[in-house]
Amino acid sequence: MNKSLNLRTRTAGGRPSGRVTMATVGRLAGVSQVTVSRALSDPSKVSPATMQRIQDAIDITGFVPNAVAGALASRRSKLISALVPSLTSSVYASMMQSFSDLMRDNGYELLLSECGFQAETEEKLIAAHLSRRPDAFYLTGIHHTARARQMLIGADIPVVEVWDLTDAPIDICVGFHHREVGWAMADFALEAGYKYAGTVSAGDERALRRRDSFVDRYSARGGTCVGNVSFSDSASVAHGRAGLARLIDEHGFTSGLIACSSDLMAQGILIEAQKRKLSVPDQIAVLGFGDQDFAAYLEPALTTIRVDRPALGTSAAQAILKRLHGGSREQSRVDIGFQLIRRESA
Amino acid sequence: MNKSLNLRTRTAGGRPSGRVTMATVGRLAGVSQVTVSRALSDPSKVSPATMQRIQDAIDITGFVPNAVAGALASRRSKLISALVPSLTSSVYASMMQSFSDLMRDNGYELLLSECGFQAETEEKLIAAHLSRRPDAFYLTGIHHTARARQMLIGADIPVVEVWDLTDAPIDICVGFHHREVGWAMADFALEAGYKYAGTVSAGDERALRRRDSFVDRYSARGGTCVGNVSFSDSASVAHGRAGLARLIDEHGFTSGLIACSSDLMAQGILIEAQKRKLSVPDQIAVLGFGDQDFAAYLEPALTTIRVDRPALGTSAAQAILKRLHGGSREQSRVDIGFQLIRRESA
DNA sequence: TTGAAAGCGCTAACAA
DNA sequence: TTGTTAGCGCTTTCAA
């Protein structure tokens, strides 16, 4: 009684619950510190009566367990590091969402940083994150510096590379072949009867790879590629509009299909076409990438490549969890595929 | 020489650098463990020759400092907890970006979770985050459960509440008055000559607060509010389209201004209007909120409320850093304001 | 079912 | 400039 009063006073005062430890709780409940630890990690290992007293003590003190100490002692941080190129791009965000949901359901929190599109920036962040001893690592893409790979391998934790596929993953990789996306877009363009095409792309490496394979296949099968416009930074509606303008004004594009690196670019093209009173898809056909939320609700509705982002996130999380719990050791590769969704814009 | 060889062998082998500690590095460099710690935290406290040997030892071993142990010993985790309603909404993401950039420049990493729009979910996440002993806490909005406030106050760390303003912040708060936004929208509508108005909103509390103050002011000053449509979840283009449809079909809206809870909604309305061949802004005027990237590039360009999201993020970070370094104790409140940007849609 | 003892890998005094 | 000594608050054996 007296004790609890003391504790309440402290809680009301200056530096409170931060100082409450398992030892404090144990003292109040009349048990040792270890018993408190057990009660929290596995209640079945503690008698119901003891459990109750501990619970009361926790309520009184407002005890919040110190996961830092726990992590140091157990060598498990319950933290997952994640590096994404951009927080603002809803493409990455929407897959991150399903990834983190599943992780959190299993007791893991996310240490998230934005790494941009440069491997050197990523390398520094990997070092910073590894010092926090995450239990697993999420990376976007398959291109990393040699030192980054080395550090990651040295850390001896599950590493998942998402959004792309390679024969030599660091550990696990979940994604799809961007080259095949380009091919599918080219085949579609040809089969739909578009003899002329242009491309508008953002500056990231995967987008450029899709574009290159599109152009190769399209040309190889007899299409005429009128011009390629690319921007060094991320996709945006503004770039989409400027992209169509440049295709027309600088490359003499008059009609045909435009293959975009993302739905956002495609949206910009739709708007610029509308402004210039060019009919879509008759004069200008537009093919997006991503099948973002808005794609089906544009006017005309966007024909695009759908990537199942929730599945991407879920698969990545499942692969990590399997390693973490099950403990399987073999490298794994999951091809999530993609799908061309034909709507009205092409 | 021998030692370094041993270490290399271990690194190539099974469980490597994870086991390398400051003690290992020190042994290799011929100094004690503390000297390694000093060399890393403040090189000026160590002689250049020693520094060099330590650096070599680090390179050879691939040593990655254990920040978990560091945090436990120093009681500073260099971690900032952040809870945002949604990762996919670029509105929150773009402010988080500037927040995290500034934090990272000062050596802090982000523990980020999505908390949705319910205070109960948030409460659980707050508890989980606090157990990791973050050095500061970032919250979205000012509505939290009593227990959440209590835990946060008990943690005795800087807490910043962003996106809204209140007279009773937990600690620091940075935002603007949503009520004033509604008033500004109403005043604009009236002064621009729109006698009829409708609203389309997402389900979050701040959006609803803006809408309510819009409706109050607009009606009070003589405008006629034809109808309000709201959705229980987040804003989207699809909801924008459906919103206009419902305003017209269910509320008999024929002409006037539509005040939206976000630019995304506004965009949907623009598209639906185009589809229905209603001219904007002549028959239907549209007023957005947020001034997102795309707003200026829609057709017609969107008239909207600009909130300086980078400034929001930077201010929040600066306030935290000031507390963390300077150590000032007084509560602070920063009104970041907002601005109506008139373009073509209204 | 419970407890005692020994660390986890660092930082923070205090000495030398 | 460097080292010694104590912890930080937990988890992990190992005993009782």
Side-chain angles (χ1 to χ4, degrees):
Chain A
M1 197 61 208
N2 225 323
K3 276 181 181 170
S4 98
L5 259 172
N6 272 338
L7 283 159
R8 282 182 173 289
T9 310
R10 279 178 59 196
T11 302
R15 36 186 58 267
S17 54
R19 299 225 49 86
V20 178
T21 68
M22 286 184 174
T24 322
V25 172
R27 223 169 296 134
L28 234 182
V31 294
S32 76
Q33 172 267 125
V34 248
T35 305
V36 178
S37 172
R38 277 200 202 93
L40 261 39
S41 62
D42 184 0
S44 76
K45 288 187 160 184
V46 152
S47 81
T50 308
M51 189 66 216
Q52 190 50 250
R53 295 205 316 279
I54 291 177
Q55 191 52 61
D56 291 346
I58 288 175
D59 292 343
I60 289 173
T61 54
F63 169 67
V64 177
N66 186 330
V68 178
L72 181 61
S74 69
R75 295 143 165 286
R76 273 175 283 107
S77 63
K78 286 277 175 180
L79 226 52
I80 308 293
S81 279
L83 262 28
V84 292
S86 151
L87 290 174
T88 46
S89 163
S90 77
V91 174
Y92 296 113
S94 62
M95 83 83 61
M96 213 56 235
Q97 192 165 18
S98 56
F99 177 80
S100 87
D101 282 351
L102 189 47
M103 279 319 216
R104 189 183 312 144
D105 289 345
N106 283 271
Y108 294 89
E109 291 298 332
L110 262 201
L111 201 61
L112 187 69
S113 291
E114 189 176 55
C115 62
F117 286 100
Q118 294 190 321
E120 289 71 27
T121 314
E122 194 197 51
E123 180 185 303
K124 281 182 198 146
L125 284 167
I126 290 174
H129 277 223
L130 281 180
S131 76
R132 311 217 106 113
R133 298 296 186 267
D135 288 342
F137 220 107
Y138 168 106
L139 292 173
T140 305
I142 53 172
H143 294 304
H144 319 288
T145 66
R147 219 175 87 74
R149 291 182 72 95
Q150 189 186 319
M151 289 191 295
L152 254 3
I153 291 169
D156 197 32
I157 53 177
V159 175
V160 59
E161 294 168 274
V162 185
W163 282 104
D164 206 343
L165 250 22
T166 169
D167 288 332
I170 297 176
D171 183 17
I172 303 158
C173 96
V174 180
F176 55 93
H177 287 293
H178 293 257
R179 200 181 38 189
E180 290 178 2
V181 171
W183 291 341
M185 290 170 99
D187 290 344
F188 167 79
L190 262 1
E191 279 148 30
Y194 298 105
K195 307 254 185 282
Y196 297 90
T199 67
V200 174
S201 312
D204 81 283
E205 183 272 332
R206 287 180 292 280
L208 263 19
R209 204 145 24 98
R210 292 193 296 273
R211 181 199 63 185
D212 291 345
S213 71
F214 169 82
V215 173
D216 285 353
R217 177 81 143 230
Y218 187 71
S219 306
R221 289 192 55 192
T224 301
C225 193
V226 179
N228 303 300
V229 173
S230 71
F231 296 86
S232 59
D233 54 339
S234 296
S236 67
V237 171
H239 282 341
R241 293 192 65 160
L244 177 56
R246 284 175 50 186
L247 231 30
I248 292 173
D249 302 339
E250 297 174 16
H251 297 269
F253 189 93
T254 52
S255 81
L257 175 141
I258 299 178
C260 305
S261 69
S262 81
D263 288 351
L264 216 50
M265 291 292 208
Q267 189 191 343
I269 289 174
L270 252 30
I271 292 171
E272 185 65 22
Q274 172 194 341
K275 176 76 172 185
R276 292 181 180 233
K277 307 221 185 303
L278 299 169
S279 79
V280 178
D282 299 333
Q283 292 173 72
I284 302 227
V286 183
L287 182 49
F289 173 81
D291 193 29
Q292 295 191 50
D293 286 350
F294 59 80
Y297 298 93
L298 296 181
E299 199 58 43
L302 196 62
T303 294
T304 189
I305 299 286
R306 172 180 296 166
V307 173
D308 190 340
R309 296 188 297 279
L312 213 47
T314 305
S315 301
Q318 281 170 340
I320 285 184
L321 290 167
K322 196 172 147 200
R323 273 269 202 297
L324 247 23
H325 300 144
S328 80
R329 286 270 109 219
E330 83 268 24
Q331 267 194 359
S332 70
R333 225 151 50 100
V334 182
D335 188 343
I336 211 78
F338 59 87
Q339 204 185 343
L340 195 145
I341 308 288
R342 185 160 198 183
R343 289 196 271 246
E344 305 159 2
S345 72
Chain B
M1 197 60 210
N2 225 324
K3 275 181 181 170
S4 98
L5 258 172
N6 272 338
L7 283 159
R8 280 181 176 289
T9 309
R10 278 179 57 196
T11 300
R15 34 186 60 266
S17 52
R19 300 224 50 85
V20 179
T21 69
M22 286 186 174
T24 322
V25 172
R27 223 170 296 134
L28 232 183
V31 294
S32 76
Q33 172 265 128
V34 247
T35 305
V36 178
S37 172
R38 277 199 202 95
L40 261 39
S41 63
D42 185 359
S44 74
K45 287 187 161 182
V46 152
S47 82
T50 307
M51 188 67 216
Q52 189 50 251
R53 295 204 317 277
I54 291 177
Q55 191 53 62
D56 291 346
I58 289 175
D59 292 342
I60 288 173
T61 54
F63 170 67
V64 177
N66 186 328
V68 177
L72 180 60
S74 68
R75 295 145 164 286
R76 274 176 283 107
S77 64
K78 286 278 176 178
L79 225 54
I80 308 292
S81 278
L83 262 30
V84 294
S86 149
L87 290 175
T88 47
S89 162
S90 77
V91 174
Y92 297 113
S94 63
M95 84 83 59
M96 214 55 234
Q97 190 165 20
S98 57
F99 177 80
S100 86
D101 282 351
L102 189 48
M103 278 320 211
R104 189 183 313 143
D105 289 344
N106 284 270
Y108 294 89
E109 291 297 334
L110 262 200
L111 202 62
L112 188 68
S113 292
E114 190 176 54
C115 61
F117 286 101
Q118 294 190 320
E120 288 70 26
T121 314
E122 194 197 52
E123 180 185 301
K124 280 181 198 146
L125 283 167
I126 289 174
H129 277 222
L130 281 180
S131 76
R132 313 215 104 111
R133 297 297 187 265
D135 288 341
F137 221 108
Y138 169 107
L139 293 172
T140 304
I142 53 173
H143 295 304
H144 319 288
T145 67
R147 219 176 86 76
R149 292 182 70 96
Q150 189 186 319
M151 289 192 294
L152 255 0
I153 291 168
D156 197 33
I157 54 175
V159 174
V160 59
E161 295 168 273
V162 185
W163 283 103
D164 207 342
L165 249 23
T166 170
D167 288 334
I170 297 176
D171 183 17
I172 304 160
C173 96
V174 180
F176 55 93
H177 287 293
H178 292 257
R179 198 181 41 187
E180 291 178 2
V181 170
W183 291 341
M185 290 171 99
D187 290 345
F188 166 80
L190 263 359
E191 278 149 30
Y194 298 104
K195 307 253 185 282
Y196 296 91
T199 66
V200 175
S201 311
D204 82 283
E205 183 273 332
R206 287 181 292 280
L208 262 17
R209 202 142 28 95
R210 291 193 298 273
R211 180 199 66 184
D212 291 345
S213 70
F214 169 84
V215 172
D216 286 353
R217 177 80 142 231
Y218 186 74
S219 307
R221 289 190 56 192
T224 302
C225 194
V226 179
N228 303 301
V229 173
S230 71
F231 296 85
S232 60
D233 55 339
S234 296
S236 66
V237 171
H239 282 340
R241 291 192 67 160
L244 178 56
R246 285 175 50 185
L247 232 28
I248 292 173
D249 302 340
E250 299 173 17
H251 298 271
F253 188 93
T254 52
S255 82
L257 175 139
I258 299 177
C260 305
S261 69
S262 81
D263 289 351
L264 216 49
M265 292 292 209
Q267 189 191 342
I269 288 174
L270 252 30
I271 291 171
E272 186 64 22
Q274 172 194 340
K275 176 78 171 183
R276 292 180 180 233
K277 306 223 184 303
L278 298 168
S279 78
V280 178
D282 299 333
Q283 291 172 71
I284 302 225
V286 183
L287 182 49
F289 173 81
D291 193 28
Q292 296 190 51
D293 286 350
F294 59 80
Y297 297 92
L298 297 180
E299 198 61 41
L302 195 63
T303 294
T304 189
I305 300 285
R306 172 180 294 165
V307 173
D308 190 340
R309 294 187 299 278
L312 213 48
T314 305
S315 301
Q318 281 170 339
I320 285 183
L321 290 168
K322 196 172 147 197
R323 272 272 200 298
L324 248 22
H325 300 143
S328 79
R329 285 270 110 221
E330 83 269 22
Q331 266 193 359
S332 72
R333 226 152 49 100
V334 182
D335 188 342
I336 211 78
F338 59 87
Q339 205 185 342
L340 195 144
I341 307 288
R342 185 161 198 182
R343 288 195 275 246
E344 305 159 3
S345 71

